[in-house]
Structure formats: C-alpha cells, structure tokens
Amino acid sequence: MTDDHSQETGHDEVTLGRIETEVALLMRLGEATRRGTGTMEHRLLDRAAYVILRYLDTAGPQNVSALAARLSLDGSTVTRQVSAMQRDGLITRTPDPADGRGTVVSATPAGLQRMAAVRAARTRLYGDILAAWSPDDRDTLAELLHRLNEALDVRNRRR
C-alpha cells in the first residue's frame, strides 16, 4: 500500500465521517425546525401523512403494498396511517380491481389542498433560511440532496 493510497483512504474516511455528522444534524435540526415553526400551515399534516400525500399526488392512486414498498415502510404501518388519514378525510380507499382483498388509496381534494398548503409553507421557510445563498448554491444543494435521496432509495429497495 502506498502512502498516497493511505492518505486518500484516510481523507475519504474523514469526509464520510463529516457527511455522517452533517446528515445526523440535518435530520435533528430539520425536525426541531418543523416542531418549532409557529405557523399553523406547518402543522396541518404530520410527517407521514405529508409524505404519503406527496407521493399520491405525483404517482396517482396506489394499493397499500405498493405505497409501503415505495416509501420503505412496513405494510401494517402504512395501513394504520392510511386509516387515520381516511378518518381525517385526506384519502379514500376503494377495492383494488387487481386484488379483491386489497384497497387502492387515493388523495382527496381536501388532502391535496392541505398537502399543498404545507408544501408552500415549507418552501417559504427554506426560502427564508437560504435567502443569503446564491441561486447557484441553492441549485447545487437541491441536486446533491436529490442524488443522496436517490442513493438512499436504491439501497432501501435492495433490502
């Protein structure tokens, strides 16, 4: 092993350690920011309902097992969340034509409206937080976060 290779490996480990720390902080501070934001719009939906509605908005109606797989969640967890969302009028469930035992979940107009309000509030919040950043830096952050999320998604799907 050459000294250059050892230095490269050591640098990679330091960099990966920094990434791990920054992601851990991002998750903690993101949650603290969500909880600490005083506007009602941010609290219209819990995190799980928001993610489910965002996915239904882009993908259209889904059966519970497909929803669980796409969101890397246990089917029983999604079933409980969907039941609560149905009680709140955020989604509807209809029999799955492909599988009579299952159901297809669809967002309601009220669910989509609430999701859009939360999304707009979050967009304004990040606009405020990143106001001093250049447009290029914001674009770079968006692209790198997208790549990170894609890599995490691929890893979760392999399980």
Side-chain angles (χ1 to χ4, degrees):
M1 200 181 262
T2 67
D3 285 338
D4 287 344
H5 182 72
S6 296
Q7 287 176 346
E8 227 176 83
T9 301
H11 178 73
D12 285 348
E13 287 177 17
V14 168
T15 300
L16 293 172
R18 286 181 57 210
I19 292 168
E20 184 281 327
T21 298
E22 295 302 329
V23 169
L25 285 170
L26 175 66
M27 291 167 53
R28 183 182 63 77
L29 292 169
E31 180 60 21
T33 300
R34 186 189 67 80
R35 282 193 321 266
T37 300
T39 64
M40 187 59 192
E41 291 169 311
H42 288 271
R43 297 187 181 150
L44 288 173
L45 293 171
D46 68 29
R47 189 175 33 205
Y50 179 74
V51 170
I52 289 170
L53 287 167
R54 286 288 309 263
Y55 182 63
L56 291 173
D57 186 38
T58 58
Q62 300 287 309
N63 68 37
V64 173
S65 59
L67 194 56
R70 179 63 184 100
L71 300 176
S72 300
L73 296 169
D74 180 68
S76 62
T77 300
V78 172
T79 298
R80 282 191 304 276
Q81 291 169 337
V82 162
S83 293
M85 292 171 70
Q86 185 177 18
R87 281 191 304 273
D88 292 342
L90 303 174
I91 58 101
T92 58
R93 287 195 284 195
T94 55
D96 186 342
D99 175 7
R101 299 168 298 166
T103 59
V104 172
V105 178
S106 303
T108 64
L112 292 176
Q113 183 178 20
R114 203 179 291 185
M115 181 273 300
V118 172
R119 184 177 187 186
R122 289 179 176 186
T123 299
R124 284 191 305 275
L125 174 66
Y126 282 107
D128 292 345
I129 291 168
L130 300 174
W133 290 38
S134 73
D136 285 346
D137 283 350
R138 290 191 302 263
D139 286 342
T140 299
L141 176 62
E143 180 58 31
L144 292 174
L145 287 171
H146 177 74
R147 287 175 53 195
L148 176 61
N149 282 325
E150 281 184 331
L152 290 168
D153 190 39
V154 166
R155 182 176 180 90
N156 285 327
R157 287 175 189 264
R158 278 195 235 144
R159 286 186 186 169

